[in-house]
């Protein structure tokens, strides 16, 4: 499957207790590197990801934006947020997207 590596890293992050901060930081760094490496593949993933995967990915949206400077990424995030309004509201994902958009705009 095309997105196995993406799904595996998200699954690994989801399995870590939120109180184990050093392990969480490790996964955030790995997620940022993986999802920043090929932004077009990341955008493709956003088109097919589940609501749960989107929620976990939201933890590193700003970091991905810093590394990629991609407006297309922001557009894809907004489309994905529209697909998952409950999760977007529950986890304040729109705020992360707004912040990521500011980061991208400041870098251009």
């Amino acid at each position: 499957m095309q997105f196995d590596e993406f799904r595996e890293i998200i699954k690994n992050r989801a399995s870590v207790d939120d109180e184990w901060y050093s392990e969480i930081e490790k996964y955030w760094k790995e997620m940022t590197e993986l999802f920043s490496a090929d932004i077009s593949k990341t955008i493709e993933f956003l088109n097919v990801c589940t609501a749960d995967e989107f929620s976990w990915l939201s933890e590193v949206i700003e970091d991905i934006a810093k590394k990629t400077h991609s407006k297309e990424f922001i557009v894809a995030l907004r489309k994905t947020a529209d697909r998952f309004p409950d999760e977007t509201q529950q986890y304040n994902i729109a705020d992360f997207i707004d912040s990521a958009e500011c980061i991208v705009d400041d870098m251009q």
Side-chain angles (χ1 to χ4, degrees), residues 3-85:
F3 301 114
D4 285 348
E5 194 173 9
F6 287 175
R7 289 194 160 101
E8 184 67 22
I9 191 97
I10 289 171
K11 184 179 95 179
N12 290 341
R13 164 55 191 105
S15 71
V16 174
D17 187 300
D18 284 344
E19 294 189 20
W20 196 3
Y21 196 73
S22 63
E23 194 70 7
I24 290 171
E25 283 187 328
K26 177 188 123 187
Y27 281 112
W28 284 347
K29 184 175 181 178
E30 289 178 17
M31 289 171 66
T32 300
E33 292 302 316
L34 178 63
F35 283 92
S36 298
D38 183 347
I39 199 63
S40 62
K41 187 173 179 181
T42 298
I43 291 168
E44 288 178 43
F45 177 73
L46 287 170
N47 291 328
V48 299
C49 71
T50 66
D52 188 56
E53 290 167 336
F54 183 56
S55 298
W56 288 108
L57 180 60
S58 72
E59 293 183 336
V60 294
I61 285 173
E62 290 115 327
D63 295 331
I64 296 168
K66 285 177 191 172
K67 289 189 72 81
T68 65
H69 312 169
S70 173
K71 286 264 196 196
E72 294 82 5
F73 176 59
I74 303 302
V75 170
L77 288 169
R78 293 211 185 277
K79 287 180 184 177
T80 306
D82 288 345
R83 280 189 14 239
F84 305 119

